[in-house]
Amino acid sequence: MNYEHKVRREIADWEHKMFKLPGWLEKTSKSISNRINHLISPKVHNIITSTVRSIVRTALFGAEYTPKRPVQRALELESADQEAKELFALYQKIAVAEGAGTGAGGIMFSMVDFPALIAIKMKFLFELAHVYGYDTRHFSERVFILKVFQMTFSGPENRTKLLNSIKHWHIEKEQWLSDAEYSKNMDWETFQIEYRDAMDFRKMLQMVPGIGAVAGAWANYSILEEVREFAMNAYRLRRLHDQFEVGG
């Protein structure tokens, strides 16, 4: 089996898992998350929501996350995948250490963890783009990163739309050559709610006295793993399409 065939099979498995009906654990987690949500003050939720919006807007319209890593267009897909895994290992260690440290500090330090974790994920995604040969100085590439980010934390209906965008990015990217229209069309409310709800169960456990450090480390470890899985497969889809186009 050649490497490209292996990747296509892994992508098919990933898509199947993405749209699989939630099992008992997922349903239970969601139920507990909803209960915890009612115990958290609106002020805390507002902090989370405004943080999500602020950092995502920075990623889209600023240059803070553009990495120094060169755009590695010449890497074969197998080499890019290997480098992506090494990059992920580094960022996962950073995320785990950050989650354990803030989790040990209780609820106030956990509030610091929300923006810190989003920033870690964004930095990872920007560097990952360069590993796969896509230059984040282009606005369309930053929009792609946001769509990957959204897809990771969205519900099934929105995931379907986002996956379709990613599969047809060679067409859709033409409308995102500048930021003139993007901010007008962005559904910030849906994005923020879905992201917050996807995070709640794991991250709220971080605020429980006595288990905060362990819960924080576990939450950040598993959350960054999800980002890696979605992002790598999204970029693999693009690389496979681009290779096919070049190959004729």
Side-chain angles (χ1 to χ4, degrees), residues 190-210:
T190 299
F191 173 67
Q192 291 159 189
I193 290 171
E194 287 192 323
Y195 177 75
R196 189 197 68 197
D197 288 351
M199 298 278 284
D200 271 345
F201 175 62
R202 288 170 290 188
K203 297 306 288 180
M204 295 309 171
L205 283 178
Q206 185 174 325
M207 301 179 190
V208 178

Side-chain angles (χ1 to χ4, degrees), residues 157-170:
E157 184 178 345
N158 209 22
R159 271 185 179 172
T160 301
K161 296 175 185 175
L162 291 162
L163 181 60
N164 187 58
S165 289
I166 283 166
K167 286 183 173 180
H168 298 90
W169 194 250
H170 56 289

Side-chain angles (χ1 to χ4, degrees), residues 2-19:
N2 65 30
Y3 192 74
E4 182 179 313
H5 182 72
K6 174 178 177 286
V7 169
R8 290 186 186 279
R9 193 175 68 177
E10 289 176 356
I11 289 172
D13 291 343
W14 165 65
E15 287 189 39
H16 175 74
K17 184 176 74 173
M18 193 192 315
F19 295 108

Side-chain angles (χ1 to χ4, degrees), residues 3 11 17 48 71 77 93 99 117 126-127 140 143 147 151 156 161 179 200 211 214 219 239 248:
Y3 192 74
I11 289 172
K17 184 176 74 173
I48 297 169
V71 181
L77 181 57
K93 288 177 183 175
L117 181 59
F126 271 68
E127 284 212 53
S140 62
V143 174
K147 285 185 179 286
M151 186 170 65
K161 296 175 185 175
D179 60 8
D200 271 345
I211 66 167
V214 174
R239 283 290 299 266

Side-chain angles (χ1 to χ4, degrees), residues 20-177:
K20 187 173 65 176
L21 291 173
W24 175 84
L25 181 60
E26 289 88 349
K27 289 178 180 177
T28 302
S29 297
K30 184 63 178 174
S31 175
I32 295 172
S33 175
N34 288 337
R35 293 178 188 176
I36 293 174
N37 260 326
H38 291 301
L39 300 176
I40 304 298
S41 73
K43 183 178 180 180
V44 171
H45 282 304
N46 288 338
I47 290 171
I48 297 169
T49 298
S50 62
T51 297
V52 172
R53 179 166 184 159
S54 173
I55 291 181
V56 170
R57 286 183 67 88
T58 298
L60 275 174
F61 305 114
E64 286 86 344
Y65 293 115
T66 302
K68 294 179 180 178
R69 175 190 294 271
V71 181
Q72 294 162 262
R73 294 187 178 90
L75 279 183
E76 294 291 328
L77 181 57
E78 186 171 3
S79 298
D81 279 352
Q82 183 56 43
E83 190 158 332
K85 289 173 184 176
E86 292 171 5
L87 178 70
F88 167 71
L90 170 64
Y91 273 92
Q92 192 171 49
K93 288 177 183 175
I94 294 169
V96 167
E98 196 277 330
T102 53
I107 188 167
M108 292 309 296
F109 279 90
S110 293
M111 284 298 95
V112 174
D113 183 54
F114 278 99
L117 181 59
I118 298 173
I120 289 169
K121 285 183 288 192
M122 283 296 174
K123 288 176 182 176
F124 169 65
L125 289 172
F126 271 68
E127 284 212 53
L128 194 70
H130 284 210
V131 167
Y132 281 100
Y134 300 103
D135 192 341
T136 59
R137 289 175 297 179
H138 301 307
F139 184 72
S140 62
E141 292 303 332
R142 300 200 293 272
V143 174
F144 185 83
I145 285 172
L146 182 55
K147 285 185 179 286
V148 170
F149 189 92
Q150 283 181 277
M151 186 170 65
T152 307
F153 301 105
S154 290
E157 184 178 345
N158 209 22
R159 271 185 179 172
T160 301
K161 296 175 185 175
L162 291 162
L163 181 60
N164 187 58
S165 289
I166 283 166
K167 286 183 173 180
H168 298 90
W169 194 250
H170 56 289
I171 299 170
E172 186 174 325
K173 70 178 181 180
E174 298 301 323
Q175 68 180 294
W176 306 125
L177 298 180

